[in-house]
Amino acid sequence: MAISQMVGASIKRREDPRLVTGTGSYVDDIPQTAVVHMHVIRSSEAHARILGIETGRAKEADGVIAILTGKDLKPEFGAPLPVTVCFVPDKKYPNHYPIAIDKVHYVGEPVAIVLATSRAAAEDAGERIEVKYQSLPAVLDIEKAIEKGAPILHEELGSNLSYDVKFAAGDMDAALKEADVTIKQRLIQQRLIPIAIEPRGVLADFKTFSNKLTVWSSTQIPHFVKVWLAVILGIPESNVRVVAPEVGGGFGSKIRVYPEEILTALASRRLGRPVKWIEDRNENVKATHHGRDQIWDVEIAAKKDGTVLGIRPTQWLNLGGYCSQFGTFQVLGMLVAQGAYKMKAFDGRAVGVFTNTTPTDAYRGAGRPEATYLIERVMDLVARETGIDPVEVRRKNFVRVEDQPFTTLLGLTYDSGDYTTTLNKALEMVDYKALRREQAEKRKQGKYLGIGLSTYIEICGLGPAAATQAAVGVSLWGMSVVNVHFTGKATVIIGSSPHGQGHETTYAQVASDVLGIPVEDIDVQHGDTAIGPMGMDTYGSRSTALDGNAVHVSATKVQEKARKIAAHLLEAAEGDVVYENGKAFVKGTPSKAVTIQEIAVAAFQTSRLPKGMEGGLEATTFFDPTNFVWPFGAHICVVEIDAETGATRILRYVAVDDCGTRINPMVVDGQLHGGIAQGIGQALFEEAVYDEAGQLRTGSLVDYLVPTASDLPSFELAATITPSPVNPLGTKGIGEAGTIASTPAVMNAIVDALEPFGVKDVSMPATPQKVWALMHRNGGTKR
Amino acid sequence: MRRRVAVTINGTKHEHEVEPRLLLVQYIRDVVGLTGTHVGCDTSNCGACTVELDGHSVKSCTVFAVQADGAQVTTIEGLAQGTTLHPLQQAFWDEHGLQCGFCTPGMIMAARQLLARNPNPSEQEIRVGLEGNLCRCTGYHNIVKSIQAAAKVMAPGAERKAPAPVS
Ligand code: FES
Ligand code: FES
């Protein structure tokens, strides 16, 4: 790589001027005339047969254009909603249509749509629709759902069990025999609601006489949506264009082909008019998928010196009412639950179950937070049981630098990583020894300080194509087009679809370094399926490792062509010409250079090109890396528990993260801040709760608590940089690392604070009530 | 049933016949066409819709348009002078105080009120002052820094170095 100037620079984001002035365009901001508003009537029942839908009175209401039910629309579905393999090829799952046909399986499932001249008219008419249900017993609990005699959601499957599969290697029974210490623990991953601050929204415009469909959607995956709109609606894919305009956060919740994308498109095709649907928050909490909702049971075999010999985890996953598109992606947790540690045996089992709840799917981290919570709690449980400091237990079991590239028991190979160095740095930042002394002092005064560690690793950067095809069911790669214009400015088109990550800025930095074109002369375009060949979109912290590198490769191809053109213009041998900082010259004579601007002109004045060379200065890349990337780091959380109220206050939060090369460190830190906050949210505040009838009790932001500014501290961040060897930029991913790492750091700190009370585990969220009760369960006496 | 309202938004007077149930945020967005004010909830919790109404910051999803009859409203679109950003907008840009940007207009409007009341807030005062505004992207870290930076620039007596125009 040429001397890097932009990669590594914290330049300000070019996205921001439009966003801070309120002039960015999210779906609901797109001007559109004669638009029809869609309102979705959703099931009020968790489990019921639809006996009939009475729409007569509603149809007469002011402004109503049409009312459509599942029965009306069924003939128009060329296929059900997609479900991908996601680590469980043989799972059982039902056909899932965008709207219920004769049965509903969760509260919030679409049962009818009202199309009207205004949103208010559609909602008013909706009040007049009567859906007759025959209620069926609902099942909400994972374990109850697979008991004999449980009500069955999808009769055609015979039971509520989707899959029960093993992920095992090594001899766990032998490990248990060899162990001095065995521990069994149940760890609950409560159900979470993603809550992107912009709810979802779709605007679909079908042009009847050209058979062309344009859909604007608040989605992370415009390219996937394009393919599936074509398949489900039976429109040639070449006639479908999907645009993700400004998207107000995703966190995994916008990574699915959603019913409303299909329904607005179908309605637009029927009416020959644009149709818009904007989700309100009350819908969002039920209609947009949830995350987590798993039980992990683990059995641990360890020696009294702290060596972990093996673990036997079982993951019970609540899939909800259907198997969502990436619903079993959470099983990835099983594949990476070994964490940063060596062990001899891993005996995993993953079970997936249907219940009458909103479907679950990817939510920031998707499987990796669960895995990290498991293994980082395991380390602390072993520490507690053996009486060894949690730092030492981690050191004892760490994969070392000299073990890299390390292959796990389940056969995944880490690309790189130096876990000891990040840990040491974090310990230094908090002054660990002094902290432990302070903790001991404070305990004497009846104050409960807790110190929690999380020395996480994570897998991201999905591709490689072959591995993801086998494991996930989709070939994942990065895509870019780099096009230098006549005047020497450039356009970069990418296959990722950012929604807050700043790709417009960071990818310009990448291209600028290779081409020597100033960043401000490079425009980065994304989120529109009409502008590039194809994309694999944005999720799983994949964009920079894939599409970022695709930009690098395309820019390098363009540079190579520019060098060839320059050689011709300079009448020099190709091998003698070098390209540096936007200029090409014969080695040793930089004063006689041709600039990229001059080369670009020649590229379009094609008679000036070498014989046989085509015009243009453009390259396209489908980048396929050789492995996944594996970021890692050490987070330390220091909490104080209020003995009176049980409330947890985070005193310090220190994070040392290594995501390889940092293209824009400011953006990387921002991703970490938000990620850490979301992980803290799971640890302390967030939980989706259903009542026995399957009604969501946490159905608004009044009841479902996402962290506010006053709930959080400022974060202390530091970095180590271990470039990934599997891509040319050396980048890894960072979008989810904060969330993956922080939940166990906080929970380990809380359990540590409560050590004097004999508390070995606290379930999430660690609400003041719960913590207070644990402190007082023996009448307040300490151990 | 429709009622006539006259509302001055960012210095421009608008007059319309509206339904009494129309929310101010819907009036601003759908009738007047200023879409910088966002809607993130239906329970007055997220603050994405924060605007200034006669000198007070309000959640415009909690006010009916008819209640704003005769009022002066400032929205996010009213802050920049030409292409020169308001110091808060500039600070959010400088300090990476936003990611997806959806909460940002409401956040900036709330911060503007916060600084009007308390020109030199501590970190904790800023955090408490922002309790009515949710951000899911930034963990608030850089939002706090942005407001601190803006407070310095906006402080009475601070040397007013106007930020350079955006373009
Ligand atoms: S939209 Fe007004 S507070 Fe959420
Ligand atoms: S920047 Fe996305 S919600 Fe605040």
Side-chain angles (χ1 to χ4, degrees), chain A residues 768-778:
Chain A
Q769 299 88 308
K770 210 183 267 176
V771 171
W772 189 91
L774 284 169
M775 294 170 95
H776 290 79
R777 61 185 170 167
N778 306 320

Side-chain angles (χ1 to χ4, degrees), chain B residues 38-41 44-49 59 61:
Chain B
H38 297 150
V39 178
C41 73
S44 274
N45 284 86
C46 76
C49 62
K59 292 180 174 174
C61 71

Side-chain angles (χ1 to χ4, degrees), chain A residues 197 281 701, chain B residues 23 25 37-50 58-62 102 132-134:
Chain A
I197 301 299
R281 184 61 66 191
L701 293 176
Chain B
L23 300 173
V25 67
T37 303
H38 297 150
V39 178
C41 73
D42 31 37
T43 46
S44 274
N45 284 86
C46 76
C49 62
T50 307
V58 297
K59 292 180 174 174
S60 60
C61 71
T62 322
F102 196 77
N133 290 69
L134 298 177

Side-chain angles (χ1 to χ4, degrees), chain A residues 197 248-249, chain B residues 97-104 134-138 143:
Chain A
I197 301 299
Chain B
L98 61 148
Q99 290 177 26
C100 79
F102 196 77
C103 72
T104 311
L134 298 177
C135 175
R136 197 61 155 159
C137 295
T138 64
I143 291 179

Side-chain angles (χ1 to χ4, degrees), chain A residues 12-13 16-17 19-22 26 28-29 120 124 193-195 197-198 247-249 251 280-282 363 499-500 666-667 670-671 673-674 677-678 686 701-702 706-710 712-715, chain B residues 21 29 35-36 38-43 45-46 48 76-77 80 85 89-90 92-94 96 98-105 108 123-124 127-128 130-131 134-142 166:
Chain A
K12 292 197 289 179
R13 298 198 325 166
D16 293 357
L19 298 176
V20 297
T21 51
Y26 301 83
D28 198 18
D29 305 338
D124 286 349
I193 306 182
I195 313 280
I197 301 299
E198 182 206 24
V247 173
F251 318 112
D280 66 27
R281 184 61 66 191
N282 166 44
Y363 171 58
H499 34 281
M666 174 193 79
V667 169
Q671 290 292 309
H673 296 149
Q678 259 170 328
E686 299 180 35
L701 293 176
V702 179
V706 308
T708 68
S710 67
L712 298 172
S714 281
F715 309 115
Chain B
R21 66 173 172 175
R29 290 180 51 83
T35 55
H38 297 150
V39 178
C41 73
D42 31 37
T43 46
N45 284 86
C46 76
I76 190 71
E77 289 94 339
L85 299 178
Q89 292 172 317
Q90 183 69 40
F92 270 68
W93 187 18
D94 294 345
H96 189 27
L98 61 148
Q99 290 177 26
C100 79
F102 196 77
C103 72
T104 311
I108 289 177
E123 174 180 344
Q124 200 46 34
R127 288 183 177 277
V128 172
L130 291 181
E131 265 178 346
L134 298 177
C135 175
R136 197 61 155 159
C137 295
T138 64
Y140 307 99
H141 182 105
N142 286 344
V166 173

Side-chain angles (χ1 to χ4, degrees), chain A residues 399-482:
Chain A
V399 169
R400 277 156 233 290
V401 185
E402 53 273 23
D403 302 323
Q404 300 282 15
F406 174 79
T407 299
T408 66
L409 287 162
L410 294 180
L412 288 162
T413 301
Y414 299 170
D415 64 338
S416 58
D418 176 357
Y419 313 138
T420 309
T421 302
T422 45
L423 174 61
N424 287 347
K425 199 159 177 168
L427 292 170
E428 202 178 292
M429 282 167 76
V430 293
D431 196 349
Y432 187 70
K433 289 217 174 87
L435 251 185
R436 284 287 177 205
R437 282 196 298 273
E438 186 187 340
Q439 179 184 41
E441 279 306 307
K442 285 216 162 147
R443 276 186 188 171
K444 286 184 208 149
Q445 307 158 19
K447 289 191 174 162
Y448 301 101
L449 209 66
I451 306 160
L453 281 96
S454 171
T455 45
Y456 76 99
I457 57 123
E458 67 132 328
I459 180 175
C460 62
L462 319 174
T468 52
Q469 183 66 52
V472 183
V474 191
S475 290
L476 299 173
W477 28 255
M479 193 288 296
S480 79
V481 178
V482 171

